[in-house]
Amino acid sequence: HSLHLNHNIQMTEGLTISRLALNKYLKYYLKDSKLPLINKLNIFNFMYSGYFGGRTEVFKPHGTNLYYYDVNSLYPKVALEGMPGIKSFYIKSFDNNGLNINELFGIFKAKVKAPDSYLGLLPVKSKEGLIFPTGEYEGVWPSPELKFALEHGYSVVITEGYNFEKVPSYFKDYILDLYNLKSKTKGVEKRINKSLLNNLLGRFGLNIVKPVTKLVDNKTLDYLLSTRQVKSIQEIAENRTLINYNPLIDYNVCMEHGVDYLKALTDNKNNFNIEKNIDIFEDVSVIVSAMVTSYARVFMLKFMLNIIKFGGSIYYMDTDSIVTDIPLENIDPNFIGKDLGQFKLEYFIKEGYFISNKTYCLVLMDGTTIIKSKGINNNSLTLEDFKSMYYLNQN
């Protein structure tokens, strides 16, 4: 009802809120702007390797008298910055100095050397999730992070990548309208406005290859499990399983299962001509999502460095939230407020235990206990469990 009356979109137009948000955006907001749609697999794969999520990290696992802050709509805030336009070209350096970051806007492969500083600035994907290492390494990153790293003591040599024209944000009207609506509404309407605001930007970062859902026998199931990235499986009957998987043969999965990757490729013709044989999302733009998440990590890093510079400590962070031992208004009163990109104090913590990513226990000043735990029911843990995890190292 709210979607129809307030947004002039039908709930039946899409299966997800992100699809509905995209429909609204394309229908009423994109106008004369053009999105850089990336749907060639080799270009997509390069850019996707430089697309990272938010930073979630434990710095100090226990503390007292702490402040838990959230940013008001972090991703929408940073999406008001300059965005990649449709003019783009591949660029490569043929000397040891690399390309000049000040002349670049896009996503690039680089060799970096990080100083031995308290905070790592450039993300790297690992089996344990996102890490921010020191030392020397190579990777692909969006230009805002490479520039920020260079300004803060990193050695950066950019070897190749895709350079884009920088255009004013084509999300501005959508974001300001939805944020305004969110601020003025309550209850269900507010939640819908918040969802439409937050879910549009992530939609552009979908993997362009559409997952496949099939009912298969046990032999086919074994083959798929040993060659593909499987998202979900559900046994329906004997010798009948419903499986959802990425149709591309995956090198790492083959290696883990002792399957000859090249033989698997030649046995499966779909991998050679993917654009013709496999369904592809036509309306995704990984460069947009990579740029937005990069801006967001830099946004949070600036605050973190500010806290450290001011003599404070960081205990925990999760994408758009931060736990510290000093009030942010002591650094700058303008950090706190109700506007886009300002911080709000979510909790004043008497004692906090931060065990790992998204697994923490907060005892608030009013005596309330808040428990969050990744992978298990929050209600199945107590404050005593967190104390034993921290003090006794019990799992």
Side-chain angles (χ1 to χ4, degrees):
H1 183 68
S2 172
L3 280 167
H4 179 57
L5 281 185
N6 301 329
H7 302 282
N8 204 16
I9 49 177
Q10 295 290 352
M11 199 169 172
T12 50
E13 286 175 21
L15 289 172
T16 62
I17 192 77
S18 62
R19 178 75 242 187
L20 293 175
L22 182 66
N23 288 355
K24 178 179 173 69
Y25 174 69
L26 295 176
K27 205 169 180 180
Y28 303 113
Y29 286 92
L30 190 56
K31 297 172 186 165
D32 297 331
S33 301
K34 289 183 172 62
L35 290 165
L37 301 178
I38 311 296
N39 45 35
K40 286 288 175 209
L41 197 68
N42 59 336
I43 300 174
F44 172 85
N45 284 340
F46 179 89
M47 293 184 182
Y48 200 73
S49 66
Y51 171 38
F52 309 93
R55 183 173 189 159
T56 307
E57 199 167 341
V58 175
F59 295 95
K60 291 190 173 187
H62 176 252
T64 55
N65 300 326
L66 306 175
Y67 304 85
Y68 188 120
Y69 290 100
D70 269 346
V71 184
N72 299 325
S73 302
L74 173 63
Y75 286 146
K77 162 66 181 174
V78 297
L80 298 175
E81 300 280 339
M83 283 287 136
I86 57 166
K87 288 180 185 167
S88 165
F89 53 91
Y90 172 76
I91 185 168
K92 183 166 183 157
S93 165
F94 291 100
D95 63 46
N96 294 333
N97 298 325
L99 303 164
N100 182 356
I101 185 66
N102 296 314
E103 296 169 1
L104 302 175
F105 183 74
I107 193 160
F108 303 94
K109 191 174 190 177
K111 293 172 185 170
V112 302
K113 186 176 181 181
D116 193 15
S117 55
Y118 179 63
L119 283 179
L121 306 182
L122 288 173
V124 171
K125 289 170 186 167
S126 76
K127 282 189 176 178
E128 285 72 40
L130 222 52
I131 58 172
F132 292 78
T134 54
E136 292 185 53
Y137 47 100
E138 192 175 63
V140 176
W141 295 279
S143 53
E145 270 167 304
L146 286 171
K147 201 168 185 180
F148 189 79
L150 188 63
E151 288 164 359
H152 288 82
Y154 276 58
S155 155
V156 176
V157 178
I158 298 169
T159 52
E160 62 181 310
Y162 291 90
N163 201 29
F164 286 78
E165 66 168 333
K166 189 175 185 178
V167 301
S169 175
Y170 24 68
F171 298 118
K172 187 179 176 183
D173 291 344
Y174 181 92
I175 286 166
L176 296 181
D177 282 0
L178 265 295
Y179 191 76
N180 193 25
L181 270 174
K182 187 187 95 165
S183 306
K184 289 179 178 174
T185 49
K186 291 178 180 175
V188 173
E189 275 189 47
K190 187 182 183 115
R191 284 208 294 278
I192 288 171
N193 293 328
K194 186 178 179 179
S195 287
L196 288 172
L197 175 67
N198 292 337
N199 282 288
L200 172 68
L201 297 163
R203 177 66 175 62
F204 295 109
L206 283 181
N207 193 317
I208 58 168
V209 179
K210 291 185 181 180
V212 173
T213 301
K214 268 185 183 174
L215 200 59
V216 296
D217 59 26
N218 290 349
K219 188 181 175 185
T220 310
L221 176 67
D222 286 346
Y223 175 68
L224 291 173
L225 286 170
S226 61
T227 56
R228 308 298 204 284
Q229 278 187 350
V230 173
K231 297 177 183 297
S232 67
I233 51 175
Q234 179 73 49
E235 192 176 349
I236 302 298
E238 195 177 333
N239 200 27
R240 279 285 173 270
T241 302
L242 190 67
I243 183 168
N244 179 268
Y245 64 96
N246 184 319
L248 286 183
I249 288 172
D250 187 277
Y251 176 79
N252 292 326
V253 175
C254 287
M255 291 298 102
E256 280 173 27
H257 291 85
V259 173
D260 185 327
Y261 175 67
L262 290 175
K263 187 174 184 303
L265 273 180
T266 51
D267 287 348
N268 190 291
K269 305 289 188 293
N270 279 355
N271 279 271
F272 283 118
N273 204 348
I274 178 168
E275 275 96 348
K276 286 187 181 173
N277 292 305
I278 288 175
D279 279 343
I280 282 181
F281 283 109
E282 299 286 354
D283 50 12
V284 295
S285 181
V286 68
I287 185 62
V288 166
S289 292
M291 200 61 77
V292 168
T293 53
S294 182
Y295 277 143
R297 286 187 298 276
V298 169
F299 180 96
M300 294 301 287
L301 272 170
K302 286 177 180 173
F303 280 97
M304 293 160 77
L305 291 172
N306 243 321
I307 289 167
I308 293 165
K309 187 178 171 186
F310 207 76
S313 290
I314 300 158
Y315 286 76
Y316 177 75
M317 75 167 299
D318 184 354
T319 308
D320 62 351
S321 59
I322 200 160
V323 179
T324 180
D325 55 2
I326 57 171
L328 287 183
E329 56 261 43
N330 285 10
I331 304 174
D332 186 338
N334 293 321
F335 286 174
I336 308 297
K338 293 185 176 179
D339 290 342
L340 261 174
Q342 286 186 305
F343 284 83
K344 63 176 180 289
L345 180 64
E346 200 68 33
Y347 307 118
F348 188 18
I349 302 165
K350 186 177 180 182
E351 188 174 23
Y353 294 90
F354 308 95
I355 303 301
S356 66
N357 294 356
K358 301 183 191 296
T359 302
Y360 56 81
C361 175
L362 313 175
V363 180
L364 307 186
M365 287 298 179
D366 63 6
T368 311
T369 301
I370 290 170
I371 288 175
K372 290 282 168 69
S373 52
K374 189 179 180 183
I376 58 169
N377 193 323
N378 298 339
N379 299 333
S380 65
L381 286 177
T382 65
L383 172 60
E384 295 309 312
D385 291 325
F386 278 86
K387 285 182 177 178
S388 69
M389 282 190 273
Y390 175 61
Y391 291 114
L392 306 174
N393 201 26
Q394 288 184 349
N395 190 337

